[in-house]
């Protein structure tokens, strides 16, 4: 459960200041920022993949119609590359399924309510996009995880303490459940109450436990059930391998791991992490 944790709390004044700085460098709308930041290349980096997917999901939920025609085209081109990448390497299919589900729901509402909302482009284009998304969903639904033959070391060959250490590195409960389906040993380790307790304590506050306490017949706390119950009511901590950062001195957005040649005397003091939601919030005012 170790990674870059994104949960910044920014005041309205700070956001407005950042917006003014960004506008001076040509980032006037969400669409312009989306186009200028090379997300097509970012999805090829495993550290940035989840961040970009989360950003696309948030746009699909509420900001799709705020994108210009060019930005919308860029959005769907990037999404196409993401889907093809998942179909090729079989990595992170659940993330993309969630994104496509939200996107298809939004497109259905927009197409059915044509005339009630402002759509950039012909209605036939939106219908075609909806059909494309539904086709992607079907392809991912039919995705078969092929088992590769490998005569080298496998998970089953690792000692228990190493397998346990791997499980404790996950911050998503569904990832733990999925890994637990691989072998009986991993299933046993994935059901460990201490593992789920740690996961609950990582994502949620103690007062939230009290509101949704689940006890077994023997009076023990059902931490696994607690996690999935709490997940329905409260947001979990967001984690990304690499994130966009904003430099207050240079007024630019950049990927943290790539850095940028800042001319400030103390560059690190000028950097502010930008979560996907924070990124969108920058262009709502």
């Amino acid at each position: 459960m170790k990674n870059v944790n994104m949960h910044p709390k920014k005041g309205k004044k700070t956001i407005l200041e950042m917006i003014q700085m960004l506008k001076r460098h040509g980032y006037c709308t969400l669409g312009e920022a989306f186009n200028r930041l090379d997300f097509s290349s970012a999805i090829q980096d495993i550290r940035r993949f989840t961040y970009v997917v989360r950003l696309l999901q948030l746009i699909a939920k509420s900001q799709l119609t705020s994108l210009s025609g060019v930005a919308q085209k860029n959005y769907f081109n990037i999404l196409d590359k993401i889907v093809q990448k998942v179909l090729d390497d079989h990595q992170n299919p659940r993330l993309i399924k969630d994104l496509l589900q939200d996107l298809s729901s939004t497109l259905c509402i927009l197409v059915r309510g044509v005339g009630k909302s402002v759509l950039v482009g012909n209605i036939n284009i939106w219908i075609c996009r909806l059909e494309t998304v539904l086709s992607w969903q079907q392809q991912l639904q039919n995705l078969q995880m092929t088992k590769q033959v490998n005569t080298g070391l496998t998970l089953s060959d690792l000692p228990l303490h190493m397998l346990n250490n791997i499980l404790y590195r996950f911050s998503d409960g569904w990832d733990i459940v999925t890994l637990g389906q691989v072998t009986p040993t991993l299933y046993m380790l994935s059901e460990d109450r201490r593992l789920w307790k740690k996961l609950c304590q990582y994502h949620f506050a103690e007062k939230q436990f009290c509101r949704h306490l689940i006890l077994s017949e023997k009076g023990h706390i059902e931490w696994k059930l607690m996690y999935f119950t709490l997940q329905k009511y409260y947001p979990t901590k967001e984690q990304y391998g690499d994130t966009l950062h904003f430099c207050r001195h240079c007024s630019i957005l950049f990927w943290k791991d790539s850095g940028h040649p800042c001319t400030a005397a103390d560059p690190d003091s000028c950097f502010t992490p930008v979560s996907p939601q924070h990124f969108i919030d920058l262009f709502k005012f």
Side-chain angles (χ1 to χ4, degrees), residues 83-131:
V83 173
Q84 298 310 316
K85 183 178 186 300
V86 173
L87 291 173
D88 290 339
D89 62 23
H90 296 183
Q91 295 184 23
N92 299 302
R94 182 168 55 81
L95 290 177
I96 312 308
K97 288 179 181 179
D98 290 344
L99 164 57
L100 294 180
Q101 181 59 48
D102 289 332
L103 181 57
S104 62
S105 298
T106 298
L107 290 176
C108 283
I109 294 172
L110 290 174
V111 170
R112 285 200 299 263
V114 63
K116 298 179 182 179
S117 59
V118 180
L119 291 179
V120 177
N122 188 285
I123 182 62
N124 292 322
I125 295 177
W126 287 92
I127 293 175
C128 182
R129 285 171 175 167
L130 175 57
E131 291 175 344

Side-chain angles (χ1 to χ4, degrees), residues 46-82:
I46 190 63
R47 298 167 301 171
R48 299 169 184 172
F49 183 86
T50 305
Y51 185 101
V52 177
V53 171
R54 177 58 177 163
L55 177 59
L56 264 61
Q57 186 175 20
L58 291 173
I59 291 175
K61 286 182 176 181
S62 62
Q63 300 297 313
L64 196 59
T65 55
S66 70
L67 299 179
S68 66
V70 173
Q72 288 175 5
K73 184 177 180 180
N74 189 22
Y75 177 95
F76 282 95
N77 285 339
I78 293 173
L79 187 54
D80 181 35
K81 292 179 181 179
I82 288 176

Side-chain angles (χ1 to χ4, degrees), residues 17-265:
E17 290 173 348
M18 291 175 65
I19 290 173
Q20 293 303 317
M21 294 179 186
L22 287 170
K23 284 184 176 180
R24 289 200 295 269
H25 287 259
Y27 294 92
C28 296
T29 67
L30 175 61
E32 289 169 346
F34 187 80
N35 288 336
R36 290 184 61 181
L37 294 166
D38 190 8
F39 291 125
S40 292
S41 298
I43 62 172
Q44 303 303 323
D45 189 327
I46 190 63
R47 298 167 301 171
R48 299 169 184 172
F49 183 86
T50 305
Y51 185 101
V52 177
V53 171
R54 177 58 177 163
L55 177 59
L56 264 61
Q57 186 175 20
L58 291 173
I59 291 175
K61 286 182 176 181
S62 62
Q63 300 297 313
L64 196 59
T65 55
S66 70
L67 299 179
S68 66
V70 173
Q72 288 175 5
K73 184 177 180 180
N74 189 22
Y75 177 95
F76 282 95
N77 285 339
I78 293 173
L79 187 54
D80 181 35
K81 292 179 181 179
I82 288 176
V83 173
Q84 298 310 316
K85 183 178 186 300
V86 173
L87 291 173
D88 290 339
D89 62 23
H90 296 183
Q91 295 184 23
N92 299 302
R94 182 168 55 81
L95 290 177
I96 312 308
K97 288 179 181 179
D98 290 344
L99 164 57
L100 294 180
Q101 181 59 48
D102 289 332
L103 181 57
S104 62
S105 298
T106 298
L107 290 176
C108 283
I109 294 172
L110 290 174
V111 170
R112 285 200 299 263
V114 63
K116 298 179 182 179
S117 59
V118 180
L119 291 179
V120 177
N122 188 285
I123 182 62
N124 292 322
I125 295 177
W126 287 92
I127 293 175
C128 182
R129 285 171 175 167
L130 175 57
E131 291 175 344
T132 299
V133 171
L134 294 176
S135 175
W136 285 337
Q137 286 181 299
Q138 188 61 51
Q139 291 178 60
L140 288 171
Q141 191 66 32
N142 296 333
L143 181 64
Q144 297 293 326
M145 297 298 185
T146 56
K147 185 176 181 180
Q148 297 181 352
V149 178
N150 190 337
T151 56
L153 191 68
T154 66
L155 276 175
S156 301
D157 298 317
L158 297 176
L160 285 178
H161 75 275
M162 292 186 67
L163 292 174
N164 204 41
N165 191 35
I166 291 173
L167 285 166
Y168 271 84
R169 295 284 176 172
F170 286 113
S171 62
D172 189 307
W174 284 112
D175 290 334
I176 294 175
V177 171
T178 301
L179 186 58
Q181 296 172 349
V182 176
T183 67
T185 299
L186 282 169
Y187 175 76
M188 175 194 68
L189 294 174
S190 71
E191 291 293 308
D192 183 10
R193 291 179 65 256
R194 290 171 298 179
L195 171 64
W196 291 99
K197 178 180 179 181
K198 188 178 179 69
L199 197 64
C200 285
Q201 292 174 333
Y202 175 76
H203 284 290
F204 309 108
E206 187 174 343
K207 62 181 179 180
Q208 294 170 338
F209 298 160
C210 299
R211 293 173 185 170
H212 304 278
L213 194 63
I214 301 176
L215 300 176
S216 67
E217 293 181 357
K218 296 181 178 180
H220 300 303
I221 297 177
E222 296 281 5
W223 289 107
K224 182 178 179 180
L225 290 177
M226 285 275 290
Y227 171 82
F228 288 108
T229 300
L230 291 167
Q231 195 180 44
K232 296 177 182 178
Y233 295 98
Y234 310 105
T236 55
K237 290 183 179 179
E238 295 181 25
Q239 292 186 320
Y240 307 99
D242 191 11
T243 61
L244 282 177
H245 274 57
F246 176 74
C247 178
R248 294 187 300 276
H249 179 76
C250 303
S251 303
I252 66 168
L253 290 165
F254 65 96
W255 290 102
K256 181 184 178 183
D257 283 359
S258 297
H260 87 99
C262 182
T263 58

